[in-house]
Amino acid sequence: MSRLQRKLMPVAAGLITGAGTQRWRHRLAEWRRRLRGRPHEATFYFRIDDPYSWLLAQVLPRFAEHFGVRVTPRVMLYLDRSMYPEPDMLRELAPRDAAALAGLHDLSFPADWRIPDRETALAATRCLLKHEHDERFWSLAHALSDALWRGDQEALQRLVKDHGQQPEDQAQLALEARRDQFLKDGHYLTGTLHYGGEWYWSLERLDHLARRLETLGQGGGPWPLDYGRAKQALLPGAPAAPADDGEARPELEMFFSFRSPYSYIALPRAYALADHYGLTLRLRPVLPMVMRGLSVPRAKRFYILTDAAREARLHEVPFGRACDPLGKGVERCMALWPFAEKEGRLREWLLHAGEGIWSQGVDAASDAGLRKLVTAAGMNWNRARRWLDDDQWQRDAEANREAMVAAGSWGVPSFRVNGRLVWGQDRFALIEQTLQSGH
């Protein structure tokens, strides 16, 4: 990337992610809806072997009724594997995560879940395709999902026999075409709603859609169910940390990347949680997925940037004028990690480096940019620069990557507490539950 491109990057990112841009997009979508005389409409991309799809399907009928939105289901099955860097690990992690979220939100998901095989998932999908436009879709989707994830073949066969299926060849063609169109439309994750030009993935983004609809006068009052709760740190009534009695403090591990906007957004809440509960926050830096040979396609990068922007606004974290630190910027920031620890300024270094990279357009790959970040964190640049040639960070990063993969995750931010892995910046309530329960 040229020097000019790096200078222009923060300007472009600021335009894409700005609150004003988002409001303009929302107003344009509403103007088009009214001009066409259309009702409030959303498309729901449902995949039966995606646990997040099932959770969202359980709440959408109530959500749609409350806000007066017509939700059209669009059944999916086949996805582009290039969008999923570690699909096999995701198949193991997602049901565990969904079961925990179901408990948090009083939804259904079997504790003794079984990963569905592709043939069975296709049979259930063909049944749903036949009834995609029926009123019974929601109840059928729930019943089929329940049988599928419990591994109840008898119940599944009975449902398919009673309700019928779309012919297999017709279903295969439709599912492949939908996969391709889904990517062209700009997304890759099922369990997702599309409303007025914007994507809302899983339960943890319904709060954004609810607020958008409320500003349009829909609903006659706030949405009564808090599906943004999983993102919150320090739930009401959280007990404060006991007085320091000299004993070792419990540890909260956080796998972190300088290139991950979600890592940056999560960091203040991670520190707040650790401070409140008297935890030792052990931050473990890893290289970005691209620098580890994993794929992050352009459509995925664009969605992550715009989604991170609205999450940052929600948590009041500065964000927008981003300068991608991929490559040299990441390496130099990681090289200074042990220096910041030695100086007792690691918290300041991470917070200021993150804000500089993701909000102020600071180019961490340049000496001028890195110096700005170092001095903002209260450290001496002349001492700091001596650490740039030390390669200890590479060995540490590899050890952290191995520990993260062994724990069951491939991406950041991931957390581990009391032996439990929690993945994502929108899972703080689950971390807190683990802390309060002790397991």
Side-chain angles (χ1 to χ4, degrees):
M1 185 179 294
S2 70
R3 183 176 299 180
L4 177 60
Q5 286 175 313
R6 296 195 70 81
K7 286 185 177 181
L8 292 176
M9 186 190 304
V11 178
L15 290 173
I16 292 169
T17 62
T21 304
Q22 184 190 57
R23 288 193 295 269
W24 179 85
R25 287 198 301 260
H26 289 181
R27 288 169 183 163
L28 180 61
E30 178 62 7
W31 177 79
R32 286 175 172 170
R33 184 193 68 80
R34 292 183 177 183
L35 185 65
R36 295 168 181 169
R38 302 292 301 176
H40 293 275
E41 297 172 299
T43 304
F44 172 45
Y45 293 87
F46 176 88
R47 178 165 57 92
I48 199 162
D49 59 352
D50 168 24
Y52 302 112
S53 288
W54 184 18
L55 296 186
L56 193 55
Q58 292 178 53
V59 306
L60 279 181
R62 286 177 288 170
F63 187 90
E65 182 179 6
H66 178 84
F67 286 108
V69 177
R70 179 190 297 171
V71 177
T72 301
R74 191 161 180 80
V75 177
M76 308 282 289
L77 185 61
Y78 304 132
L79 296 175
D80 188 331
R81 288 177 67 89
S82 69
M83 292 288 177
Y84 300 84
E86 295 288 355
D88 294 333
M89 293 183 71
L90 178 61
R91 280 172 63 84
E92 292 285 345
L93 185 148
R96 292 198 301 270
D97 186 37
L101 287 173
L104 181 69
H105 298 303
D106 296 321
L107 300 174
S108 296
F109 200 88
D112 56 347
W113 51 267
R114 300 180 188 178
I115 295 177
D117 63 75
R118 182 51 61 92
E119 183 178 345
T120 307
L122 176 59
T125 299
R126 289 170 55 201
C127 183
L128 283 176
L129 281 170
K130 182 178 180 180
H131 299 283
E132 193 174 51
H133 303 293
D134 295 357
E135 289 186 3
R136 77 185 92 175
F137 173 85
W138 301 101
S139 60
L140 181 58
H142 181 71
L144 286 167
S145 296
D146 181 68
L148 187 75
W149 283 101
R150 285 190 293 107
D152 190 340
Q153 292 292 334
E154 184 178 337
L156 195 64
Q157 292 172 6
R158 185 171 59 251
L159 286 165
V160 169
K161 181 179 179 180
D162 290 345
H163 295 278
Q165 295 173 294
Q166 190 177 85
E168 184 171 357
D169 57 345
Q170 185 179 341
Q172 295 273 14
L173 289 172
L175 293 168
E176 290 172 5
R178 289 180 178 199
R179 173 198 60 202
D180 298 340
Q181 188 61 49
F182 193 39
L183 292 174
K184 289 180 182 178
D185 290 343
H187 210 61
Y188 60 101
L189 288 169
T190 51
T192 299
L193 274 174
H194 189 239
Y195 171 85
E198 195 165 329
W199 300 93
Y200 302 88
W201 177 71
S202 189
L203 295 171
E204 289 72 45
R205 298 301 182 270
L206 273 187
D207 57 331
H208 292 296
L209 180 54
R211 281 189 290 273
R212 180 178 177 181
L213 292 168
E214 286 164 8
T215 63
L216 297 175
Q218 297 299 110
W223 171 236
L225 300 176
D226 185 5
Y227 287 119
R229 181 167 50 134
K231 298 183 281 193
Q232 300 166 6
L234 303 182
L235 296 172
D244 188 355
D245 56 6
E247 294 186 3
R249 289 153 49 115
E251 185 175 82
L252 172 63
E253 290 179 278
M254 177 180 177
F255 296 96
F256 174 96
S257 167
F258 282 100
R259 203 207 179 199
S260 162
Y262 295 127
S263 289
Y264 160 62
I265 294 168
L267 195 58
R269 279 173 288 154
Y271 276 120
L273 200 69
D275 291 344
H276 184 83
Y277 284 99
L279 309 173
T280 296
L281 180 60
R282 183 185 178 193
L283 289 150
R284 307 190 65 170
V286 298
L287 285 171
M289 287 194 296
V290 171
M291 295 175 71
R292 290 185 270 135
L294 300 176
S295 172
V296 184
R298 184 179 180 277
K300 186 173 181 177
R301 294 197 303 270
F302 181 81
Y303 171 73
I304 287 173
L305 184 65
T306 53
D307 179 61
R310 63 186 176 189
E311 287 289 286
R313 284 191 288 273
L314 175 68
H315 298 293
E316 299 181 344
V317 175
F319 192 90
R321 290 178 54 84
C323 186
D324 189 351
L326 181 66
K328 189 177 179 181
V330 169
E331 293 173 354
R332 286 156 66 88
C333 286
M334 291 183 72
L336 294 184
W337 189 296
F339 171 69
E341 283 188 305
K342 180 175 177 290
E343 295 287 302
R345 306 290 294 179
L346 183 60
R347 181 187 294 212
E348 291 78 9
W349 167 236
L350 296 180
L351 292 173
H352 282 90
E355 184 171 348
I357 290 168
W358 293 106
S359 176
Q360 299 169 356
V362 176
D363 184 3
S366 70
D367 281 352
L370 196 62
R371 179 174 184 169
K372 183 176 181 178
L373 299 179
V374 167
T375 55
M379 300 187 296
N380 182 277
W381 169 243
N382 288 325
R383 291 203 304 273
R385 66 192 305 178
R386 298 171 191 164
W387 291 73
L388 294 177
D389 295 326
D390 192 319
D391 63 0
Q392 176 60 42
W393 68 267
Q394 296 179 15
R395 294 184 289 275
D396 293 341
E398 177 58 18
N400 292 335
R401 184 199 66 80
E402 291 176 354
M404 180 176 70
V405 171
S409 179
W410 64 95
V412 295
S414 294
F415 302 85
R416 186 163 56 180
V417 59
N418 293 339
R420 179 185 183 185
L421 177 77
V422 178
W423 176 47
Q425 65 86 27
D426 43 16
R427 298 294 188 269
F428 272 86
L430 299 183
I431 299 172
E432 195 162 9
Q433 278 188 342
T434 301
L435 290 169
Q436 292 181 1
S437 66
H439 57 80

